[in-house]
Every structure is written in C-alpha cells, then in structure tokens.
Amino acid sequence: MAGWKKRVIAGALALAVLAAGSLLPRPGREREAEAAGPAKIPAGPYVALTFDDGPKASTTAALLDGLSQRGVHATFFVVGENVEGNELLLQRMEGEGHQVGLHTYHHKSLAALNASDFYAEVDSLRATLTALLGRERFMLRPPYGMMNEATQARAASPLILWSVDPEDWSDRDTKRQVSVILDNVKDGDIILLHDIYPASVDTALQVVDALLARGYRFVTVEELFAVRGRTAENGKVYRNLPPQE
C-alpha cells in the first residue's frame, strides 16, 4: 500500500479517536453531541493556518507530512487548474482532517469579472470539488483578496480573507516570514501562506512548532467558527475571529 494511503488510514483512525473525546465538533457527530449536552470548548488561543494557490504535488505533500507529524489541521484554498493530476492530494487533505476551500479555477480577480465569468470561475471549481470530495459547501477566498459588492452577492459562500500575511510570495526568506508571523499573531487570527513554495512549507512548520510551544491550538477555519460559537454567513467577509468579550 502506498505510504500516503497508509497515512490517510492512520489519520482517519486518529481523527475518529480524537473526535470521540474531542471538544471540537466533528462532521457526523451532531446528534451525539446534542444527546450528550453542551460541551466545554478548550481554552485558546486559537489560530487558523491557511494556504493558497495549490495543490502542488511536491510541496503540498511535504506540508501534509509535516502537519500530520504535528497533529495539526489547516485550510487549503485551491486553484481549480491545479486540481487535475493532484486529486489524491485533495482526498488526502480531506481524509486527514484538513479543510478544502475555493480559490477560483484560474486564479482570477473576482472583482473584475461579470456575472457569467464569475460563476465560471467559482461554480466550476465548486463542481469539481463536489465530485471529488462528495460535498457541496465550500468557503471562498477571492484571489488577491480583491472583491466588491457584486462578489459578495454572487459568492453563495462565506468569504475568508486573513489577518496575518508575511507576503511569502515576495521572497523565499523563511526567517523573515516566520518573524513577521510570530511578531503579529493573536488569538483568532487567520494566517495566509502558499503551499506552492518550499520556503513557505518550512515557514509553516517552524511557525507551527513555535506557536504550539506558546500554547496555541491550530484549527481549520470551519473549526474556528465552531469554537467561537459563530455561524459563517454566505456573502460576508471574515478576516479573523477574535474572542468575543
């Protein structure tokens, strides 16, 4: 059996064990949770690590390996044209407890598109992921963070931006990127990186190690909404989810 398939099976078994005792909601356990009564959410701080522009076979696989070793979940906003040939990576993400989201089919600025082109970019990717992963609801991250009122009206999903951005696309300086993140991160932040650069993979894993040592809990964006007791609304823009006072 291929190594990644073994990890998927192991990851699925680990998630099942964690879900049985976890205080975070897991898909398919809503009725059991209701029967058991309200659960206490573990104290934070929480952070959501997110990645854009993948998947890319080499770097995304290496990142998934590193996250698996650390027991950390992340959110991947994927580009449709990069899905072809990397379908197993997407299924591995889902199987290991990561969240998959939309980043358009060809990485086009949604604010510049008319309605027809918008739906071609977003709905075509949604259909691709639905066929691959067997579900229909996906959060959307507009490329470049660019949007307008029309984008929000057409989205049919929550729009997820970010609150910490080391601009890892601009260089391959892992030391600088790590420093930017660690110097600015707060409880409830959404961190933006890209899983298409080897240096960014190194940055991500160094940040995970450092923030775990600080007591941070890593969650997907969906899980971040759950621990904050909030519902993600279609067409609404979210940059972070700090604790409610």
Side-chain angles (χ1 to χ4, degrees), residues 102-128:
L102 310 170
H103 201 45
T104 75
Y105 208 93
H106 299 98
H107 203 273
K108 291 185 177 181
S109 171
L110 294 177
L113 301 181
N114 59 32
S116 177
D117 290 340
F118 177 97
Y119 294 126
E121 282 294 315
V122 175
D123 287 354
S124 58
L125 176 54
R126 183 180 282 117
T128 296

PDB file of all heavy atoms in Angstrom, residues 102-128:
ATOM      1  N   LEU A 102     -12.372  27.154  -1.847  1.00  0.00           N
ATOM      2  CA  LEU A 102     -12.315  27.630  -3.230  1.00  0.00           C
ATOM      3  C   LEU A 102     -11.371  28.823  -3.368  1.00  0.00           C
ATOM      4  O   LEU A 102     -11.405  29.751  -2.556  1.00  0.00           O
ATOM      5  CB  LEU A 102     -13.709  28.068  -3.685  1.00  0.00           C
ATOM      6  CG  LEU A 102     -14.873  27.097  -3.466  1.00  0.00           C
ATOM      7  CD1 LEU A 102     -16.194  27.798  -3.750  1.00  0.00           C
ATOM      8  CD2 LEU A 102     -14.709  25.868  -4.344  1.00  0.00           C
ATOM      9  N   HIS A 103     -10.568  28.813  -4.440  1.00  0.00           N
ATOM     10  CA  HIS A 103      -9.714  29.963  -4.768  1.00  0.00           C
ATOM     11  C   HIS A 103      -9.797  30.267  -6.263  1.00  0.00           C
ATOM     12  O   HIS A 103      -8.831  30.753  -6.848  1.00  0.00           O
ATOM     13  CB  HIS A 103      -8.280  29.669  -4.339  1.00  0.00           C
ATOM     14  CG  HIS A 103      -7.424  30.887  -4.161  1.00  0.00           C
ATOM     15  ND1 HIS A 103      -7.848  32.022  -3.498  1.00  0.00           N
ATOM     16  CD2 HIS A 103      -6.143  31.142  -4.543  1.00  0.00           C
ATOM     17  CE1 HIS A 103      -6.879  32.910  -3.487  1.00  0.00           C
ATOM     18  NE2 HIS A 103      -5.835  32.414  -4.129  1.00  0.00           N
ATOM     19  N   THR A 104     -10.961  29.977  -6.842  1.00  0.00           N
ATOM     20  CA  THR A 104     -11.307  30.125  -8.257  1.00  0.00           C
ATOM     21  C   THR A 104     -10.586  29.078  -9.113  1.00  0.00           C
ATOM     22  O   THR A 104      -9.649  28.422  -8.662  1.00  0.00           O
ATOM     23  CB  THR A 104     -11.015  31.535  -8.836  1.00  0.00           C
ATOM     24  OG1 THR A 104      -9.620  31.706  -9.033  1.00  0.00           O
ATOM     25  CG2 THR A 104     -11.584  32.606  -7.932  1.00  0.00           C
ATOM     26  N   TYR A 105     -11.032  28.962 -10.356  1.00  0.00           N
ATOM     27  CA  TYR A 105     -10.466  27.929 -11.224  1.00  0.00           C
ATOM     28  C   TYR A 105      -9.141  28.351 -11.848  1.00  0.00           C
ATOM     29  O   TYR A 105      -8.238  27.550 -12.004  1.00  0.00           O
ATOM     30  CB  TYR A 105     -11.456  27.551 -12.335  1.00  0.00           C
ATOM     31  CG  TYR A 105     -11.253  26.131 -12.781  1.00  0.00           C
ATOM     32  CD1 TYR A 105     -11.981  25.092 -12.211  1.00  0.00           C
ATOM     33  CD2 TYR A 105     -10.307  25.809 -13.753  1.00  0.00           C
ATOM     34  CE1 TYR A 105     -11.775  23.771 -12.593  1.00  0.00           C
ATOM     35  CE2 TYR A 105     -10.091  24.498 -14.142  1.00  0.00           C
ATOM     36  CZ  TYR A 105     -10.831  23.484 -13.547  1.00  0.00           C
ATOM     37  OH  TYR A 105     -10.607  22.178 -13.919  1.00  0.00           O
ATOM     38  N   HIS A 106      -9.021  29.642 -12.201  1.00  0.00           N
ATOM     39  CA  HIS A 106      -7.804  30.106 -12.875  1.00  0.00           C
ATOM     40  C   HIS A 106      -7.118  31.246 -12.135  1.00  0.00           C
ATOM     41  O   HIS A 106      -6.330  31.987 -12.721  1.00  0.00           O
ATOM     42  CB  HIS A 106      -8.127  30.570 -14.305  1.00  0.00           C
ATOM     43  CG  HIS A 106      -8.704  29.504 -15.178  1.00  0.00           C
ATOM     44  ND1 HIS A 106     -10.061  29.375 -15.409  1.00  0.00           N
ATOM     45  CD2 HIS A 106      -8.113  28.493 -15.866  1.00  0.00           C
ATOM     46  CE1 HIS A 106     -10.275  28.352 -16.216  1.00  0.00           C
ATOM     47  NE2 HIS A 106      -9.119  27.798 -16.502  1.00  0.00           N
ATOM     48  N   HIS A 107      -7.423  31.409 -10.842  1.00  0.00           N
ATOM     49  CA  HIS A 107      -6.818  32.469 -10.019  1.00  0.00           C
ATOM     50  C   HIS A 107      -7.036  33.853 -10.629  1.00  0.00           C
ATOM     51  O   HIS A 107      -6.113  34.646 -10.807  1.00  0.00           O
ATOM     52  CB  HIS A 107      -5.318  32.225  -9.817  1.00  0.00           C
ATOM     53  CG  HIS A 107      -4.769  32.911  -8.601  1.00  0.00           C
ATOM     54  ND1 HIS A 107      -4.318  34.211  -8.619  1.00  0.00           N
ATOM     55  CD2 HIS A 107      -4.611  32.485  -7.327  1.00  0.00           C
ATOM     56  CE1 HIS A 107      -3.894  34.564  -7.419  1.00  0.00           C
ATOM     57  NE2 HIS A 107      -4.065  33.525  -6.608  1.00  0.00           N
ATOM     58  N   LYS A 108      -8.296  34.145 -10.925  1.00  0.00           N
ATOM     59  CA  LYS A 108      -8.644  35.449 -11.484  1.00  0.00           C
ATOM     60  C   LYS A 108      -9.257  36.349 -10.418  1.00  0.00           C
ATOM     61  O   LYS A 108      -9.939  35.876  -9.512  1.00  0.00           O
ATOM     62  CB  LYS A 108      -9.644  35.278 -12.631  1.00  0.00           C
ATOM     63  CG  LYS A 108      -9.070  34.616 -13.865  1.00  0.00           C
ATOM     64  CD  LYS A 108     -10.085  34.594 -14.998  1.00  0.00           C
ATOM     65  CE  LYS A 108      -9.498  33.991 -16.259  1.00  0.00           C
ATOM     66  NZ  LYS A 108     -10.483  33.985 -17.384  1.00  0.00           N
ATOM     67  N   SER A 109      -9.024  37.640 -10.538  1.00  0.00           N
ATOM     68  CA  SER A 109      -9.635  38.608  -9.628  1.00  0.00           C
ATOM     69  C   SER A 109     -11.141  38.619  -9.837  1.00  0.00           C
ATOM     70  O   SER A 109     -11.627  38.958 -10.922  1.00  0.00           O
ATOM     71  CB  SER A 109      -9.064  40.002  -9.881  1.00  0.00           C
ATOM     72  OG  SER A 109      -9.803  40.970  -9.155  1.00  0.00           O
ATOM     73  N   LEU A 110     -11.881  38.282  -8.809  1.00  0.00           N
ATOM     74  CA  LEU A 110     -13.339  38.205  -8.939  1.00  0.00           C
ATOM     75  C   LEU A 110     -13.970  39.579  -9.106  1.00  0.00           C
ATOM     76  O   LEU A 110     -15.036  39.704  -9.708  1.00  0.00           O
ATOM     77  CB  LEU A 110     -13.919  37.502  -7.711  1.00  0.00           C
ATOM     78  CG  LEU A 110     -13.536  36.024  -7.574  1.00  0.00           C
ATOM     79  CD1 LEU A 110     -14.104  35.444  -6.288  1.00  0.00           C
ATOM     80  CD2 LEU A 110     -14.023  35.225  -8.777  1.00  0.00           C
ATOM     81  N   ALA A 111     -13.325  40.589  -8.578  1.00  0.00           N
ATOM     82  CA  ALA A 111     -13.890  41.934  -8.667  1.00  0.00           C
ATOM     83  C   ALA A 111     -13.928  42.439 -10.103  1.00  0.00           C
ATOM     84  O   ALA A 111     -14.686  43.357 -10.420  1.00  0.00           O
ATOM     85  CB  ALA A 111     -13.085  42.903  -7.802  1.00  0.00           C
ATOM     86  N   ALA A 112     -13.126  41.836 -10.974  1.00  0.00           N
ATOM     87  CA  ALA A 112     -13.048  42.301 -12.363  1.00  0.00           C
ATOM     88  C   ALA A 112     -13.954  41.520 -13.302  1.00  0.00           C
ATOM     89  O   ALA A 112     -13.994  41.808 -14.497  1.00  0.00           O
ATOM     90  CB  ALA A 112     -11.600  42.193 -12.847  1.00  0.00           C
ATOM     91  N   LEU A 113     -14.709  40.547 -12.769  1.00  0.00           N
ATOM     92  CA  LEU A 113     -15.478  39.659 -13.628  1.00  0.00           C
ATOM     93  C   LEU A 113     -16.953  40.031 -13.674  1.00  0.00           C
ATOM     94  O   LEU A 113     -17.525  40.490 -12.683  1.00  0.00           O
ATOM     95  CB  LEU A 113     -15.349  38.215 -13.126  1.00  0.00           C
ATOM     96  CG  LEU A 113     -13.936  37.629 -13.057  1.00  0.00           C
ATOM     97  CD1 LEU A 113     -13.995  36.185 -12.575  1.00  0.00           C
ATOM     98  CD2 LEU A 113     -13.225  37.729 -14.400  1.00  0.00           C
ATOM     99  N   ASN A 114     -17.578  39.809 -14.842  1.00  0.00           N
ATOM    100  CA  ASN A 114     -19.032  39.929 -14.914  1.00  0.00           C
ATOM    101  C   ASN A 114     -19.652  38.668 -14.321  1.00  0.00           C
ATOM    102  O   ASN A 114     -18.941  37.725 -13.935  1.00  0.00           O
ATOM    103  CB  ASN A 114     -19.496  40.161 -16.360  1.00  0.00           C
ATOM    104  CG  ASN A 114     -19.080  39.029 -17.298  1.00  0.00           C
ATOM    105  OD1 ASN A 114     -18.984  37.871 -16.901  1.00  0.00           O
ATOM    106  ND2 ASN A 114     -18.843  39.376 -18.563  1.00  0.00           N
ATOM    107  N   ALA A 115     -20.952  38.624 -14.251  1.00  0.00           N
ATOM    108  CA  ALA A 115     -21.631  37.523 -13.570  1.00  0.00           C
ATOM    109  C   ALA A 115     -21.306  36.179 -14.212  1.00  0.00           C
ATOM    110  O   ALA A 115     -21.015  35.191 -13.527  1.00  0.00           O
ATOM    111  CB  ALA A 115     -23.135  37.757 -13.563  1.00  0.00           C
ATOM    112  N   SER A 116     -21.356  36.117 -15.546  1.00  0.00           N
ATOM    113  CA  SER A 116     -21.114  34.856 -16.236  1.00  0.00           C
ATOM    114  C   SER A 116     -19.716  34.331 -15.961  1.00  0.00           C
ATOM    115  O   SER A 116     -19.523  33.138 -15.658  1.00  0.00           O
ATOM    116  CB  SER A 116     -21.320  35.051 -17.737  1.00  0.00           C
ATOM    117  OG  SER A 116     -21.024  33.866 -18.440  1.00  0.00           O
ATOM    118  N   ASP A 117     -18.715  35.213 -16.045  1.00  0.00           N
ATOM    119  CA  ASP A 117     -17.335  34.793 -15.820  1.00  0.00           C
ATOM    120  C   ASP A 117     -17.103  34.441 -14.349  1.00  0.00           C
ATOM    121  O   ASP A 117     -16.319  33.543 -14.028  1.00  0.00           O
ATOM    122  CB  ASP A 117     -16.366  35.883 -16.261  1.00  0.00           C
ATOM    123  CG  ASP A 117     -16.329  36.045 -17.770  1.00  0.00           C
ATOM    124  OD1 ASP A 117     -16.745  35.097 -18.473  1.00  0.00           O
ATOM    125  OD2 ASP A 117     -15.911  37.118 -18.249  1.00  0.00           O
ATOM    126  N   PHE A 118     -17.772  35.160 -13.462  1.00  0.00           N
ATOM    127  CA  PHE A 118     -17.663  34.858 -12.032  1.00  0.00           C
ATOM    128  C   PHE A 118     -18.100  33.419 -11.760  1.00  0.00           C
ATOM    129  O   PHE A 118     -17.381  32.640 -11.122  1.00  0.00           O
ATOM    130  CB  PHE A 118     -18.515  35.824 -11.212  1.00  0.00           C
ATOM    131  CG  PHE A 118     -18.516  35.542  -9.734  1.00  0.00           C
ATOM    132  CD1 PHE A 118     -17.665  36.232  -8.888  1.00  0.00           C
ATOM    133  CD2 PHE A 118     -19.349  34.585  -9.184  1.00  0.00           C
ATOM    134  CE1 PHE A 118     -17.654  35.966  -7.515  1.00  0.00           C
ATOM    135  CE2 PHE A 118     -19.348  34.308  -7.831  1.00  0.00           C
ATOM    136  CZ  PHE A 118     -18.503  35.003  -6.992  1.00  0.00           C
ATOM    137  N   TYR A 119     -19.273  33.079 -12.253  1.00  0.00           N
ATOM    138  CA  TYR A 119     -19.793  31.742 -11.978  1.00  0.00           C
ATOM    139  C   TYR A 119     -18.941  30.669 -12.663  1.00  0.00           C
ATOM    140  O   TYR A 119     -18.793  29.559 -12.143  1.00  0.00           O
ATOM    141  CB  TYR A 119     -21.254  31.641 -12.421  1.00  0.00           C
ATOM    142  CG  TYR A 119     -22.164  32.534 -11.610  1.00  0.00           C
ATOM    143  CD1 TYR A 119     -23.007  33.457 -12.229  1.00  0.00           C
ATOM    144  CD2 TYR A 119     -22.162  32.471 -10.223  1.00  0.00           C
ATOM    145  CE1 TYR A 119     -23.829  34.289 -11.475  1.00  0.00           C
ATOM    146  CE2 TYR A 119     -22.978  33.299  -9.464  1.00  0.00           C
ATOM    147  CZ  TYR A 119     -23.812  34.205 -10.097  1.00  0.00           C
ATOM    148  OH  TYR A 119     -24.615  35.023  -9.345  1.00  0.00           O
ATOM    149  N   ALA A 120     -18.362  30.999 -13.819  1.00  0.00           N
ATOM    150  CA  ALA A 120     -17.477  30.047 -14.481  1.00  0.00           C
ATOM    151  C   ALA A 120     -16.248  29.756 -13.620  1.00  0.00           C
ATOM    152  O   ALA A 120     -15.770  28.617 -13.555  1.00  0.00           O
ATOM    153  CB  ALA A 120     -17.049  30.575 -15.849  1.00  0.00           C
ATOM    154  N   GLU A 121     -15.748  30.788 -12.962  1.00  0.00           N
ATOM    155  CA  GLU A 121     -14.566  30.619 -12.118  1.00  0.00           C
ATOM    156  C   GLU A 121     -14.867  29.913 -10.804  1.00  0.00           C
ATOM    157  O   GLU A 121     -14.095  29.066 -10.349  1.00  0.00           O
ATOM    158  CB  GLU A 121     -13.936  31.994 -11.817  1.00  0.00           C
ATOM    159  CG  GLU A 121     -13.118  32.560 -12.935  1.00  0.00           C
ATOM    160  CD  GLU A 121     -11.878  31.724 -13.211  1.00  0.00           C
ATOM    161  OE1 GLU A 121     -11.178  31.322 -12.262  1.00  0.00           O
ATOM    162  OE2 GLU A 121     -11.611  31.465 -14.397  1.00  0.00           O
ATOM    163  N   VAL A 122     -15.975  30.268 -10.186  1.00  0.00           N
ATOM    164  CA  VAL A 122     -16.278  29.755  -8.843  1.00  0.00           C
ATOM    165  C   VAL A 122     -17.076  28.454  -8.899  1.00  0.00           C
ATOM    166  O   VAL A 122     -16.728  27.459  -8.250  1.00  0.00           O
ATOM    167  CB  VAL A 122     -17.015  30.813  -8.011  1.00  0.00           C
ATOM    168  CG1 VAL A 122     -17.441  30.240  -6.656  1.00  0.00           C
ATOM    169  CG2 VAL A 122     -16.128  32.040  -7.810  1.00  0.00           C
ATOM    170  N   ASP A 123     -18.148  28.448  -9.668  1.00  0.00           N
ATOM    171  CA  ASP A 123     -19.014  27.265  -9.669  1.00  0.00           C
ATOM    172  C   ASP A 123     -18.365  26.067 -10.347  1.00  0.00           C
ATOM    173  O   ASP A 123     -18.642  24.913  -9.994  1.00  0.00           O
ATOM    174  CB  ASP A 123     -20.346  27.593 -10.337  1.00  0.00           C
ATOM    175  CG  ASP A 123     -21.225  28.477  -9.464  1.00  0.00           C
ATOM    176  OD1 ASP A 123     -20.819  28.728  -8.307  1.00  0.00           O
ATOM    177  OD2 ASP A 123     -22.288  28.921  -9.929  1.00  0.00           O
ATOM    178  N   SER A 124     -17.494  26.319 -11.329  1.00  0.00           N
ATOM    179  CA  SER A 124     -16.814  25.192 -11.961  1.00  0.00           C
ATOM    180  C   SER A 124     -15.881  24.503 -10.966  1.00  0.00           C
ATOM    181  O   SER A 124     -15.785  23.268 -10.943  1.00  0.00           O
ATOM    182  CB  SER A 124     -16.032  25.657 -13.191  1.00  0.00           C
ATOM    183  OG  SER A 124     -15.079  26.643 -12.838  1.00  0.00           O
ATOM    184  N   LEU A 125     -15.202  25.288 -10.139  1.00  0.00           N
ATOM    185  CA  LEU A 125     -14.338  24.694  -9.121  1.00  0.00           C
ATOM    186  C   LEU A 125     -15.169  24.008  -8.050  1.00  0.00           C
ATOM    187  O   LEU A 125     -14.830  22.904  -7.596  1.00  0.00           O
ATOM    188  CB  LEU A 125     -13.436  25.760  -8.499  1.00  0.00           C
ATOM    189  CG  LEU A 125     -12.548  25.292  -7.344  1.00  0.00           C
ATOM    190  CD1 LEU A 125     -11.709  24.077  -7.741  1.00  0.00           C
ATOM    191  CD2 LEU A 125     -11.658  26.434  -6.853  1.00  0.00           C
ATOM    192  N   ARG A 126     -16.281  24.645  -7.666  1.00  0.00           N
ATOM    193  CA  ARG A 126     -17.163  24.018  -6.671  1.00  0.00           C
ATOM    194  C   ARG A 126     -17.655  22.650  -7.175  1.00  0.00           C
ATOM    195  O   ARG A 126     -17.675  21.666  -6.424  1.00  0.00           O
ATOM    196  CB  ARG A 126     -18.343  24.938  -6.352  1.00  0.00           C
ATOM    197  CG  ARG A 126     -19.266  24.378  -5.271  1.00  0.00           C
ATOM    198  CD  ARG A 126     -20.423  25.316  -4.995  1.00  0.00           C
ATOM    199  NE  ARG A 126     -20.027  26.437  -4.173  1.00  0.00           N
ATOM    200  CZ  ARG A 126     -20.061  27.711  -4.546  1.00  0.00           C
ATOM    201  NH1 ARG A 126     -20.461  28.037  -5.772  1.00  0.00           N
ATOM    202  NH2 ARG A 126     -19.694  28.668  -3.719  1.00  0.00           N
ATOM    203  N   ALA A 127     -18.028  22.591  -8.445  1.00  0.00           N
ATOM    204  CA  ALA A 127     -18.496  21.328  -9.010  1.00  0.00           C
ATOM    205  C   ALA A 127     -17.381  20.289  -9.042  1.00  0.00           C
ATOM    206  O   ALA A 127     -17.609  19.100  -8.764  1.00  0.00           O
ATOM    207  CB  ALA A 127     -19.046  21.558 -10.420  1.00  0.00           C
ATOM    208  N   THR A 128     -16.174  20.711  -9.360  1.00  0.00           N
ATOM    209  CA  THR A 128     -15.030  19.801  -9.379  1.00  0.00           C
ATOM    210  C   THR A 128     -14.783  19.207  -7.998  1.00  0.00           C
ATOM    211  O   THR A 128     -14.579  17.994  -7.849  1.00  0.00           O
ATOM    212  CB  THR A 128     -13.769  20.538  -9.866  1.00  0.00           C
ATOM    213  OG1 THR A 128     -13.959  20.966 -11.220  1.00  0.00           O
ATOM    214  CG2 THR A 128     -12.547  19.632  -9.798  1.00  0.00           C
TER     215      THR A 128
END
